[in-house]
Amino acid sequence: MKSKAFFVLIILLPLCLNGGSVEKQIIVLFQPDVIGLPIGQRSAQLPEITAPQHVIECLQAIGAIMIARGLPDFEPDDTIRITQDGWVARLPNWAHLFVIELPAGTNRDSAVIIMENLDEVIYAEKNRRGEFFQTEPNDTYFKWYQRNLNDSTGNTGIDVMRAWD
């Protein structure tokens, strides 16, 4: 049985394939060495990629037009960091994160389900646009007793609300 890993991705992928829109894309994190793009390319059409035959068949079934690296400048060496006090931190390897462009009108929910059923897929989701939101602390003393942090007049305080946003 395939174990599921759940991620909360708070990444705004800078890539829109072929000038396309995020409404026609899904994001897929594959196991290492599943998808191969032509040497020196960050994206390719489906016939140009290398992958196991059953993965190609799933990509064909969902109507994949183009596949591209989700974070094209990511280097696998970026997954290990050593802190100043000597701790080794392992970060996610985003080298296997891809954006897949689908034809207009394709049901992206179905495409995500098909991709998640592959053993080679760690995670799949619909690509979405990031939304701006404002944060305000739930501290009842924030507005009245901590005026040094923020002042609605803009005359005093360090303007922490703008920094948080």
Side-chain angles (χ1 to χ4, degrees):
M1 179 176 196
K2 180 180 172 183
S3 64
K4 293 282 184 177
F6 295 95
F7 297 95
V8 176
L9 292 179
I10 305 178
I11 297 174
L12 297 177
L13 296 178
L15 186 59
C16 270
L17 301 172
N18 286 343
S21 67
V22 296
E23 289 80 17
K24 297 189 301 181
Q25 298 173 353
I26 62 173
I27 300 168
V28 180
L29 180 61
F30 287 94
Q31 297 283 352
D33 303 321
V34 173
I35 299 293
L37 296 177
I39 296 173
Q41 288 185 235
R42 295 178 175 188
S43 65
Q45 293 181 355
L46 188 56
E48 300 173 303
I49 70 165
T50 57
Q53 185 58 36
H54 65 282
V55 173
I56 297 285
E57 290 169 0
C58 281
L59 290 169
Q60 289 171 338
I62 65 172
I65 297 171
M66 183 80 72
I67 186 166
R69 295 203 180 280
L71 299 169
D73 296 326
F74 181 84
E75 293 293 331
D77 294 340
D78 293 340
T79 59
I80 297 177
R81 293 278 191 270
I82 299 175
T83 63
Q84 291 177 347
D85 57 353
W87 284 88
V88 175
R90 293 204 177 271
L91 305 173
N93 186 346
W94 300 119
H96 310 292
L97 183 72
F98 291 89
V99 177
I100 300 172
E101 183 178 351
L102 305 172
T106 300
N107 184 334
R108 292 190 304 158
D109 292 322
S110 297
V112 166
I113 290 168
I114 289 169
M115 296 308 295
E116 282 185 332
N117 285 327
L118 288 171
D119 289 335
E120 292 84 359
V121 170
I122 297 170
Y123 180 81
E125 73 172 355
K126 297 185 289 188
N127 199 359
R128 295 187 174 104
R129 294 191 188 281
E131 294 182 21
F132 175 77
F133 63 94
Q134 290 184 321
T135 55
E136 185 167 320
N138 60 359
D139 182 350
T140 55
Y141 297 109
F142 175 73
K143 288 185 180 181
W144 305 109
Y145 296 105
Q146 298 176 8
R147 291 191 182 134
N148 60 316
L149 296 177
N150 201 51
D151 178 19
S152 60
T153 64
N155 296 327
T156 61
I158 62 172
D159 202 13
V160 75
M161 290 299 292
R162 191 165 51 115
W164 283 337
D165 288 339

